[in-house]
Amino acid sequence: MAENVLELRSIDRRFVQGTKTLTILEQADFALRPGEMVALVAPSGTGKSTLLHIAGLLEYPDGGDVVVNGQPCAALSDDRRTAIRRSEIGFVYQFHHLLPEFTALENVMMPQLIAGLDAREAKERAAQLLNYMKLGERMDHRPNELSGGEQQRVAIARAVANAPLVLLADEPTGNLDPATAAYVFDALEALVRHSGLAALIATHNEELAARMDRRVTLSQGKVVELPA
């Protein structure tokens, strides 16, 4: 494993709006080490989601490179980037995006089946993850039969089903009430700590951010470390 599982190197990202060019990221650098949790705290509209999309190979930067576990990705084909994204990176969003026609167990099995894992093994791992997230008695329920917090815990289990090295989360508790948010974050933190994942988590919740190893923000297009 590389010293840093994720590196952003001199990332530029701009958007053209009519005659104006809006600079979101400019020569932005960031590194994420194995096993650490980093909070990304910044006001809305500063580019948190853009940064996460670029880090997760969902979006191309206008300049610079994203390095995942030592592999520079800027010059890779779409197919190769997709393969890295599936095997090395997990995503959790503010809204769970579970497939409504499938059970919790089937939702967590899905990325494993897409990756080519045997159905029996996929089912076994999905059940283990859901039990770990304290959803053992809910795994045969469909999303509309689950609470918001339960749905989000299923989404977290799905994000790590293929044992990625990096977890990227965009306001994973932002759609939940404070008590449920704290419970979901407890589950997320336990999973990250237990598995040795590296996690970059965008959040507006300062209390949750303070529980992570370090905090960064975005300022004038750059990633800036915040004091402990």
Side-chain angles (χ1 to χ4, degrees), residues 176-189:
L176 305 172
D177 65 80
T180 304
Y183 190 84
V184 168
F185 187 81
D186 286 345
L188 174 59
E189 183 178 27

Side-chain angles (χ1 to χ4, degrees), residues 5-192:
V5 290
L6 175 68
E7 291 181 52
L8 304 182
R9 297 178 178 173
S10 302
I11 296 294
D12 293 329
R13 189 70 174 108
R14 296 174 296 276
F15 295 98
V16 177
Q17 296 181 331
T19 59
K20 295 183 178 179
T21 299
L22 183 63
T23 299
I24 302 296
L25 299 170
E26 186 171 22
Q27 296 290 291
D29 295 305
F30 174 73
L32 187 63
R33 295 182 293 273
E36 72 170 347
M37 294 181 75
V38 177
L40 174 59
V41 291
S44 298
T46 54
K48 294 195 303 294
S49 294
T50 298
L51 182 79
L52 289 171
H53 289 168
I54 289 173
L57 308 182
L58 291 168
E59 192 174 318
Y60 283 91
D62 294 309
D65 205 347
V66 179
V67 181
V68 179
N69 198 25
Q71 170 69 68
C73 297
L76 297 179
S77 68
D78 285 343
D79 286 349
R80 183 72 186 115
R81 285 167 63 93
T82 298
I84 291 173
R85 193 166 60 242
R86 282 181 181 163
S87 64
E88 310 283 14
I89 303 170
F91 295 90
V92 182
Y93 299 99
Q94 181 172 347
F95 300 98
H96 54 79
H97 297 301
L98 298 174
L99 297 170
E101 66 271 32
F102 295 105
T103 65
L105 184 72
E106 290 165 340
N107 266 280
V108 181
M109 287 175 65
M110 201 66 65
Q112 300 176 77
L113 296 174
I114 291 170
L117 196 67
D118 173 78
R120 182 182 56 80
E121 291 181 62
K123 185 175 182 179
E124 187 176 304
R125 175 160 172 78
Q128 286 175 345
L129 284 167
L130 289 170
N131 277 314
Y132 191 83
M133 301 299 284
K134 299 180 181 177
L135 290 167
E137 296 180 356
R138 310 289 281 164
M139 62 178 68
D140 291 326
H141 290 64
R142 288 183 168 79
N144 66 357
E145 300 171 310
L146 302 173
S147 70
E150 288 171 337
Q151 290 172 347
Q152 197 64 321
R153 279 183 282 150
V154 175
I156 292 167
R158 179 183 60 184
V160 301
N162 283 336
L165 295 174
V166 178
L167 181 69
L168 302 173
D170 194 355
E171 297 286 351
T173 62
N175 201 36
L176 305 172
D177 65 80
T180 304
Y183 190 84
V184 168
F185 187 81
D186 286 345
L188 174 59
E189 183 178 27
L191 185 64
V192 169

